[in-house]
Amino acid sequence: GESVGLHLPTLSVQEGDNSIINCAYSNSASDYFIWYKQESGKGPQFIIDIRSNMDKRQGQRVTVLLNKTVKHLSLQIAATQPGDSAVYFCAERDTGNQFYFGTGTSLTVIP
Amino acid sequence: NAGVMQNPRHLVRRRGQEARLRCSPMKGHSHVYWYRQLPEEGLKFMVYLQKENIIDESGMPKERFSAEFPKEGPSILRIQQVVRGDSAAYFCASSPPQGAGTEAFFGQGTRLTVV
């Protein structure tokens, strides 16, 4: 299957700063992308999604950017809070409705 | 509308026993995915099922592992003759048919410990 990878396995940010988590995907035919947050001992939780016909989507404190030219996805978290500390996964969906996940980036927020 | 339900949350098995992990998808969801996660690692795809069909099992070990999603009832991931290396968290996700609101939602996982 296709692979989805992350550039940085760990990220530490100061509370109140903005966080940027990056993801590279390899299947140019993927039409749908999701960011998930996984807290320790819990299942991944849906954060935000974006379809391939868009290049930006905003939620509450989070923004996802999609650059199809270089097959790159990013998650921006504004005013990062201690509760944002978790592992973040990106996922792509191929034309067969199969989801592929990246390795994950561990975000640590320093108070 | 209940979320994806997995049970049990924790399962302890002795080497050689069988483990059965259950996943009830969200209402209206006909697609189920199973993933395995080791501590401090990412999600590793195992199998993708629709009702009564295995769509992609490329991530499943060739022996001892099987999965089903019957017409009625939950999806079952079955591990026969468990070994210590099977200890992991197993997550299932469900999604609706493509084009009908297509987010995949996860359950809280089953943590399998083989002793």
Side-chain angles (χ1 to χ4, degrees), chain A residues 25-37:
Chain A
Y25 64 94
S26 57
N27 186 355
S28 57
S30 292
D31 63 354
Y32 179 62
F33 304 86
I34 306 177
W35 279 101
Y36 289 91
K37 173 186 180 182

Side-chain angles (χ1 to χ4, degrees), chain A residues 1 31-32 34 36 38 40-46 49 51 87 89 93-104, chain B residues 9 31 33 35 37 41-43 45 48 55-56 91 95-99 101-109 111:
Chain A
D31 63 354
Y32 179 62
I34 306 177
Y36 289 91
Q38 187 178 25
S40 181
K42 297 184 178 180
Q45 181 182 12
F46 174 92
D49 59 358
R51 299 188 187 279
V87 176
F89 297 93
R93 187 191 68 188
D94 67 11
T95 52
N97 209 41
Q98 170 63 289
F99 285 90
Y100 299 93
F101 287 82
T103 304
Chain B
R9 289 294 307 277
H31 299 193
Y33 312 80
Y35 296 88
Q37 188 178 40
E41 294 190 7
L43 295 162
F45 168 75
Y48 167 36
I55 306 302
D56 182 351
F91 290 97
S95 70
Q98 189 169 6
T102 49
E103 300 90 347
F105 291 94
F106 280 85
Q108 292 301 306
R111 278 146 188 86

Side-chain angles (χ1 to χ4, degrees), chain A residues 5-27:
Chain A
L6 295 177
H7 295 307
L8 298 173
T10 62
L11 178 65
S12 295
V13 297
Q14 292 286 344
E15 182 178 357
D17 288 350
N18 297 334
S19 303
I20 300 176
I21 302 171
N22 296 303
C23 176
Y25 64 94
S26 57
N27 186 355

Side-chain angles (χ1 to χ4, degrees), chain B residues 34-52:
Chain B
W34 284 95
Y35 296 88
R36 170 189 162 112
Q37 188 178 40
L38 294 172
E40 307 303 318
E41 294 190 7
L43 295 162
K44 182 178 183 298
F45 168 75
M46 298 182 74
V47 62
Y48 167 36
L49 310 104
Q50 295 177 22
K51 286 279 189 182
E52 300 183 280

